[in-house]
Amino acid sequence: MASRILRKGLIFLVSLVSASVVVFAFMAVLPGDPARVALGTNATPEAVARLHEEYGTDRPALVQYWDWVSGLAVGDFGRSYVTGVQIGPQILDRFQVTLWLVLSAMVVALLIALPLGIAAAMRHRRLSGTLLSGLSQVGVAVPNFLVGIMLITLFSVHLRWLPSGGWTPPAEDPWGFAQRLLLPAVSLGLVQGAILTRYVRSAILDVLREDFLRTARAKGLRPHQALLRHGLRNAAIPVVTVLALQLATLLVGAVVIERVFVIPGLGSLLLDGVGDRDLLLVQGVVMVLVLAVLLINFVVDVLYTVLDPRIRTAAP
Amino acid sequence: MSGVADHGGGWNGDRAATEARGAARTVNASLVTGGVLVATVILTALLSFLWTPHDPVHNDSGARLLDAGSPGHWLGTDKFGRDVASQLMAGARITLLVGVVAVGIAAVVGTPLGILAGMARRGVGEFLMRVNDLVLAFPALLLAIMFGAVFGAGTLTAMVAIGIATIPNFARIARGGTLQVLSHDYVQAARAAGRRPVGIALRHVLPNISGLVTVQCSVSFAIAILAEAALSFLGFGTRPPTPSWGRMLQESQELLFSAPALALWPGLAIALAVLGFNLLGDGLRDRLDPRLAERRT
């Protein structure tokens, strides 16, 4: 098993390095010279050359790449070409905001998916179960930003219960923080919950067919007792896997929700960077998001290897 | 993610028969509902080439923000006085265009890659799948924003980005299907008879995995529609004045306080189109493989 994990770790590292090359190469072909963008169209060639030297963008691409990537390894993302501000602390700051949003969305998704998915599986082949499945189908089809807009319309415009957007750090004003987090978290979590419901239903249905559950029923346990005592734990592995993989989807999906609710998270930073043509900033944010996706996949892979006895004991 | 779908359940004949009958019922419901919704979107898009109630991009300063049900404007008008119903109809074109191109790119590139990964020597197949995983690390939305930053935002960049991001899904499905087909005796026989790999791929593998690929097309279409809507909403998709459902939503957001209904129509259109393609995919999957009907996820 150790060699298996080691191999996965190696693949993760190779993927990460490849991803950094892709991101760097991608931004390097960007039309428009960052120095010219920073100085405006009337800049003299001397001024542009001076700024190039200051940024280090006059050096060969390979040197620039090495400079960037070796900085990344120690958390140094460089200085923005546009604002001159250090990018690393900015990303860290915004990442915390996005993390709050994503984690609370995940809680919302679980609160929806567990009861609905289990109910849909238990009422399999009955009208109520089919209705629940249909409901989750509809939920999957609704874009999260539409949910956000509808929630704002209802709770901010009509009822005036909650603010329509903005952000308050939790340490500053916990109540204001919770108020502002609620609608975006529900918008992001609702759709994910609908998707997760289908996985929960399917996992429970699979477990319900297992022999050990039939044995439990034969012992005289009622369906929900058998499921609670013997089924849920077995259904958990696939569900936890999907949940972890959804974390990656949520991180990227948060970009749109942050725009809807004017939340200063990683997504807003990315979009602002693109708008200002702030290359290094965009490069940094994209790299952080890609790292997160790769890391999540790696961790899930390793956990799967450790948790699932069938994989654990299989020959590598 | 094979772990989710691959669990073999206890399966006995009696129950299987009952479940297959039940499956047939759901098949029809999903297939018919999905088919009707998809057909509606396609027909609306086609009709919009011939006729819309008004010119969808015509600004009429005298008819701004009319309510739904106003004379001549069933669904009202937006802040520029453009007819909402006409914009919705024309927006269906962009939705379908993006879906067709994105899914086309993904299927045409991803399917052969998957077959190759399944048929090639183990090292080559493994390498291809690693590259595949690398592409998976760039979700459609992120890739499209990067493309937008580099090549400029627009329908074309959005379609291509969504297409590239979807390639891994097709490659994965195709590889899984290929491995399954290759394990059959008749393929061994064809090999023994000296048929070349390309011949086997075209004659045996492709026809046998075409069902899987078709289902994936339908599901990916739904994802592409959602991605295009999100991108247009963010300003990285279809440029004005071309009508697009995502951008209609974005334009409606600033008017939530005065004209909330403006968000409703494009939102409903997106949701129904996505629902249609998802249901169609589900229905096709059940039709093509009744054993899968019960373990849909």
Side-chain angles (χ1 to χ4, degrees):
Chain A
M1 187 174 74
S3 71
R4 195 175 265 271
I5 292 176
L6 202 69
R7 192 166 152 268
K8 286 187 195 303
L10 207 66
I11 291 173
F12 165 69
L13 281 179
V14 172
S15 307
L16 191 60
V17 172
S18 319
S20 74
V21 173
V22 171
V23 171
F24 181 84
F26 213 86
M27 292 297 150
V29 299
L30 190 93
D33 178 345
R36 261 187 205 289
V37 173
L39 291 171
T41 42
N42 298 329
T44 60
E46 292 78 29
V48 171
R50 220 175 19 251
L51 206 61
H52 266 304
E53 206 174 319
E54 195 186 318
Y55 291 161
T57 39
D58 53 343
R59 298 168 302 164
L62 215 58
V63 178
Q64 285 188 53
Y65 170 73
W66 178 248
D67 202 35
W68 178 63
V69 91
S70 56
L72 285 189
V74 293
D76 175 14
F77 286 77
R79 255 174 216 286
S80 157
Y81 294 152
V82 177
T83 55
V85 180
Q86 279 285 350
I87 294 170
Q90 227 176 333
I91 289 184
L92 192 68
D93 219 38
R94 300 294 193 99
F95 192 70
Q96 288 171 7
V97 174
T98 300
L99 209 58
W100 273 114
L101 177 59
V102 166
L103 290 181
S104 45
M106 197 157 247
V107 173
V108 172
L110 270 178
L111 286 177
I112 294 168
L114 284 182
L116 281 189
I118 293 173
M122 300 285 283
R123 288 175 176 69
H124 183 49
R125 300 238 160 286
R126 275 187 264 159
L127 184 65
S128 51
T130 311
L131 279 180
L132 282 174
S133 296
L135 197 68
S136 80
Q137 262 295 7
V138 174
V140 174
V142 180
N144 54 20
F145 54 96
L146 176 64
V147 177
I149 289 177
M150 293 196 305
L151 289 178
I152 293 177
T153 313
L154 183 60
F155 290 102
S156 309
V157 177
H158 284 300
L159 299 172
R160 294 174 192 280
W161 287 353
L162 291 162
S164 65
W167 183 255
T168 314
E172 210 171 90
D173 172 12
W175 179 236
F177 163 76
Q179 276 186 319
R180 286 186 166 77
L181 185 64
L182 187 61
L183 289 188
V186 171
S187 317
L188 196 55
L190 206 63
V191 177
Q192 229 56 34
I195 297 172
L196 196 61
T197 301
R198 307 182 76 190
Y199 282 100
V200 172
R201 171 178 174 271
S202 157
I204 300 279
L205 274 181
D206 276 341
V207 168
L208 287 178
R209 290 201 187 90
E210 296 280 358
D211 291 338
F212 61 78
L213 219 75
R214 201 174 311 146
T215 311
R217 288 292 309 280
K219 282 193 315 187
L221 290 182
R222 303 195 59 75
H224 64 273
Q225 287 174 324
L227 188 67
L228 273 178
R229 268 192 224 171
H230 303 282
L232 281 188
R233 215 160 27 141
N234 285 286
I237 293 184
V239 172
V240 169
T241 313
V242 175
L243 194 66
L245 295 176
Q246 279 196 337
L247 193 62
T249 318
L250 286 174
L251 264 178
V252 179
V255 175
V256 191
I257 290 299
E258 284 172 13
R259 178 52 64 99
V260 176
F261 289 93
V262 204
I263 294 171
L266 211 52
S268 314
L269 189 66
L270 175 68
L271 294 178
D272 291 347
V274 172
D276 300 339
R277 303 191 77 74
D278 195 341
L279 264 193
L280 210 53
L281 179 67
V282 174
Q283 228 169 278
V285 177
V286 169
M287 203 53 224
V288 167
L289 287 173
V290 170
L291 166 73
V293 175
L294 285 172
L295 193 66
I296 291 166
N297 290 344
F298 169 63
V299 171
V300 168
D301 230 14
V302 168
L303 279 183
Y304 221 86
T305 314
V306 176
L307 288 182
D308 196 326
R310 277 166 301 188
I311 301 178
R312 193 166 61 210
T313 49
Chain B
M1 278 323 318
S2 55
V4 177
D6 285 351
H7 286 296
W11 197 262
N12 54 47
D14 210 23
R15 200 191 224 182
T18 333
E19 302 207 350
R21 272 199 299 280
R25 268 202 309 273
T26 31
V27 168
N28 292 337
S30 294
L31 203 62
V32 170
T33 318
V36 167
L37 285 173
V38 169
T40 310
V41 178
I42 295 175
L43 288 178
T44 308
L46 289 177
L47 179 64
S48 78
F49 283 107
L50 301 173
W51 174 82
T52 49
H54 295 264
D55 179 356
V57 294
H58 173 66
N59 296 355
D60 182 355
S61 53
R64 281 186 193 150
L65 293 177
L66 292 179
D67 283 333
S70 305
H73 301 282
W74 324 321
L75 301 181
T77 56
D78 69 1
K79 60 179 171 177
F80 298 116
R82 292 176 300 198
D83 183 53
V84 171
S86 307
Q87 283 197 74
L88 277 183
M89 288 177 69
R93 287 182 221 162
I94 288 291
T95 297
L96 287 179
L97 176 71
V98 171
V100 168
V101 174
V103 172
I105 291 174
V108 167
V109 179
T111 312
L113 269 181
I115 296 178
L116 182 64
M119 292 185 72
R121 271 181 295 127
R122 201 171 155 212
V124 180
E126 185 84 347
F127 173 75
L128 282 175
M129 291 327 279
R130 287 284 91 81
V131 174
N132 211 40
D133 287 349
L134 182 65
V135 179
L136 268 183
F138 293 86
L141 207 58
L142 191 60
L143 200 64
I145 291 174
M146 287 168 69
F147 268 52
V150 173
F151 305 112
T155 313
L156 183 69
T157 41
M159 296 189 292
V160 174
I162 297 170
I164 293 177
T166 316
I167 289 174
N169 301 343
F170 278 88
R172 223 170 232 206
I173 293 274
R175 177 172 176 264
T178 304
L179 290 176
Q180 213 170 14
V181 174
L182 289 183
S183 68
H184 286 302
D185 289 341
Y186 62 86
V187 179
Q188 306 290 347
R191 273 191 174 156
R195 194 174 276 284
R196 302 243 297 259
V198 177
I200 292 178
L202 289 177
R203 250 193 105 154
H204 298 296
V205 177
L206 199 58
N208 276 302
I209 65 168
S210 62
L212 282 175
V213 174
T214 311
V215 171
Q216 187 60 37
C217 281
S218 194
V219 174
S220 297
F221 213 107
I223 298 172
I225 293 176
L226 278 176
E228 192 275 335
L231 285 168
S232 292
F233 181 79
L234 291 175
F236 282 90
T238 307
R239 312 295 295 170
T242 313
S244 133
W245 294 344
R247 219 193 45 257
M248 288 175 76
L249 260 180
Q250 183 225 331
E251 285 169 359
S252 74
Q253 205 195 345
E254 56 185 282
L255 297 166
L256 277 188
F257 286 81
S258 50
L262 275 181
L264 189 67
W265 305 119
L268 210 59
I270 295 169
L272 285 178
V274 174
L275 184 67
F277 279 101
N278 271 336
L279 285 176
L280 187 65
D282 273 0
L284 284 174
R285 184 177 327 189
D286 297 353
R287 163 68 52 95
L288 295 168
D289 186 355
R291 279 169 305 151
L292 283 177
E294 284 316 298
R295 42 202 67 233
R296 278 181 294 173
T297 49

